[in-house]
Amino acid sequence: MSEQGDPLVSADWLMTNITAPDVRIVDATWFASWTNPVETGREAWKRGHIPKAVYFDIDEIADTASPYPHMMPDAVKFSSRARKLGLGDGSRIVVYDQNRFFASARAWWMLRVMGHKDVYVLDGGLHAWVSEGGALDDLPTPPGERHFTPRVRSDLIMDARDMEQLVGSARVKIIDARPDGRFFGRDPEPRAELPSGHIPGSINVPGSLLVSEDGRMKSAEELRRLMPDPGAPTVATCGSGVTAAITALALARLGNWDVAVYDGSWTEWASDPSRPIVRGAP
């Protein structure tokens, strides 16, 4: 397996390969605070996870000095955290979650930004695993340190300055994965201090449209109907860089493995009143 074909694996595949010595399993479950979750992602992992799974916390494996949530850390911090989780060179990493790709797609993208190619997402997450008869574990997973060599792909991550240079340019497509009400400025942002609206020139493909009712990602044929020109150079954005990674994952399924994510996304863009914001339908 490599960066071609499908970036997702099935529960059946994982059951067949779970005992392979190079397979590492990661639970990256994350719940947005404004949804008033009954538990944290770490608590969900502790309650029950796929055997061998370690917990990847996007709020801790992050640049915690940034004013914006779960921003990508530098290579030194990331490699240190990955090593302590037993994720490293020569590993085939399978990431899953318990919340419809939140935040398995984000962890998948982060690992790829840091140069790890052999990383995949479990389609349907924990629900698919249980539906196929997979067992759960509630014991901590001894990770065992493994060397992680970062080879940063700066082309896969964008910041506000990069995005400002893209405004008014047709060379890169900007896809915003937020719900359409927030994109068009009809509905408020969950972060009350931010206005809603969108970056000039961006298009709206809500992340919820990419996932089927059973929590699996839609087929390549269905995704092609949703994604205009899926092979074009693309930057994905959303509220804070989590749903945008689902867009990147979906486009990888369609063969475009080079989709960048605007890490700060709307939380960063809209925090500066000097940046242009568009509201209303085109």
Side-chain angles (χ1 to χ4, degrees):
M1 300 169 71
S2 62
E3 287 197 351
Q4 57 185 343
D6 199 336
L8 291 101
V9 296
S10 67
D12 181 67
W13 183 93
L14 185 55
M15 287 178 185
T16 301
N17 292 275
I18 193 170
T19 57
D22 62 335
V23 169
R24 299 291 182 271
I25 305 171
V26 170
D27 186 322
T29 302
W30 176 80
F31 303 104
S33 59
W34 60 83
T35 63
N36 298 314
V38 297
E39 60 186 352
T40 65
R42 187 180 294 276
E43 288 168 344
W45 167 77
K46 287 181 178 179
R47 180 170 44 79
H49 53 262
I50 295 174
K52 295 175 55 176
V54 294
Y55 184 66
F56 188 109
D57 186 345
I58 66 167
D59 286 325
E60 194 280 326
I61 305 177
D63 177 5
T64 51
S66 171
Y68 310 114
H70 40 253
M71 294 282 281
M72 177 72 78
D74 62 26
V76 173
K77 180 174 182 176
F78 187 93
S79 58
S80 172
R81 297 299 191 273
R83 182 175 67 249
K84 290 177 180 177
L85 289 177
L87 310 176
D89 303 345
S91 298
R92 284 186 293 171
I93 301 173
V94 178
V95 190
Y96 76 91
D97 62 63
Q98 305 182 36
N99 188 29
R100 299 175 68 83
F101 295 99
F102 290 91
S104 56
R106 170 80 185 185
W108 167 86
W109 169 76
M110 292 175 71
L111 283 156
R112 294 185 61 247
V113 169
M114 290 296 164
H116 197 89
K117 295 182 178 181
D118 225 357
V119 55
Y120 309 90
V121 176
L122 175 61
D123 196 14
L126 189 70
H127 176 74
W129 173 263
V130 172
S131 295
E132 293 294 327
L136 296 181
D137 197 349
D138 60 0
L139 299 175
T141 303
E145 291 198 12
R146 189 177 184 91
H147 184 70
F148 186 97
T149 305
R151 300 176 178 86
V152 178
R153 284 195 58 183
S154 57
D155 61 310
L156 293 182
I157 183 169
M158 295 282 182
D159 60 19
R161 182 173 298 179
D162 297 323
M163 298 304 292
E164 287 167 355
Q165 293 175 353
L166 291 179
V167 171
S169 170
R171 70 182 187 274
V172 176
K173 184 172 57 177
I174 303 171
I175 296 180
D176 192 319
R178 289 174 300 150
D180 61 357
R182 291 162 58 190
F183 179 85
F184 290 117
R186 297 191 309 268
D187 298 334
E189 287 293 311
R191 296 173 178 86
E193 72 277 11
L194 298 177
S196 56
H198 58 270
I199 298 171
S202 58
I203 61 174
N204 185 222
V205 182
S208 59
L209 296 182
L210 308 179
V211 183
S212 300
E213 289 185 7
D214 64 1
R216 291 175 172 84
M217 183 163 282
K218 289 184 177 178
S219 68
E221 181 180 351
E222 292 172 301
L223 293 174
R224 284 192 187 94
R225 291 197 291 266
L226 294 167
M227 295 290 195
D229 195 10
T234 300
V235 178
T237 183
C238 60
S240 64
V242 178
T243 312
I246 304 176
T247 301
L249 181 66
L251 286 168
R253 182 165 232 191
L254 297 180
N256 187 348
W257 287 84
D258 298 321
V259 175
V261 167
Y262 175 20
D263 197 19
S265 282
W266 193 251
T267 301
E268 180 179 39
W269 184 268
S271 67
D272 185 342
S274 70
R275 295 191 185 110
I277 293 175
V278 177
R279 298 181 181 87

